[in-house]
Amino acid sequence: MFSYLYEWIMNIAFYMVMVTAVLHVVPNSDYKRYIRFFTGMVLAVMLTDPFLRIFGVGNLWQNLYKSPEYQKQVEKMEEAAQYLNGTGDVTKEELENIRQRQEDGTIAGDGASIGVDEIKIGR
């Protein structure tokens, strides 16, 4: 128990030293506001860690990344990124399907469409 408490305090102290160093390195004071906000949010999570472990929610975030739903979403995003970057393998059927949807005005294959009546440029 005391080793965990000691480790927790050491982590917070190290984090605060790193945050202070980053704040001194940042030249523009406009960015310091955002850095303080973000680091404050991280510090709040670090401070609540022992309480989350007591209530048994400590490993909830880690288990979230191991869930099948999360893995499926990651695979979908990777496929979309490959397609958008042009590195994905796209078959002729998929290209024809995409062209057909573009001609029909269908978006993402769910039947939603966008219609444009008039476009004005300038005044």
Side-chain angles (χ1 to χ4, degrees):
M1 177 67 180
F2 286 113
S3 63
Y4 172 72
L5 185 62
Y6 178 73
E7 181 183 342
W8 178 63
I9 292 171
M10 289 295 291
N11 286 339
I12 291 175
F14 179 75
Y15 179 74
M16 293 304 296
V17 168
M18 292 304 296
V19 167
T20 304
V22 167
L23 285 174
H24 284 296
V25 171
V26 175
N28 194 350
S29 64
D30 294 337
Y31 295 119
K32 288 183 181 182
R33 177 176 24 166
Y34 300 110
I35 293 172
R36 281 190 188 122
F37 175 75
F38 177 74
T39 55
M41 297 297 279
V42 172
L43 181 63
V45 171
M46 289 177 72
L47 290 173
T48 59
D49 184 54
F51 302 108
L52 294 176
R53 287 181 188 250
I54 289 172
F55 294 120
V57 192
N59 295 331
L60 182 67
W61 294 107
Q62 294 172 353
N63 294 337
L64 174 69
Y65 294 119
K66 296 176 184 175
S67 70
E69 295 86 13
Y70 177 78
Q71 295 298 329
K72 190 181 284 185
Q73 289 296 327
V74 167
E75 289 174 8
K76 283 183 181 179
M77 288 188 291
E78 287 174 351
E79 289 173 5
Q82 286 179 351
Y83 174 73
L84 292 174
N85 290 333
T87 59
D89 296 332
V90 181
T91 63
K92 287 183 179 181
E93 296 168 354
E94 290 173 343
L95 281 175
E96 188 60 36
N97 188 15
I98 292 168
R99 287 186 187 123
Q100 183 64 35
R101 285 189 287 162
Q102 286 175 345
E103 290 173 4
D104 295 342
T106 306
I107 298 173
D110 61 356
S113 62
I114 297 176
V116 179
D117 293 331
E118 183 178 343
I119 298 176
K120 291 183 179 179
I121 299 175
R123 294 182 186 209

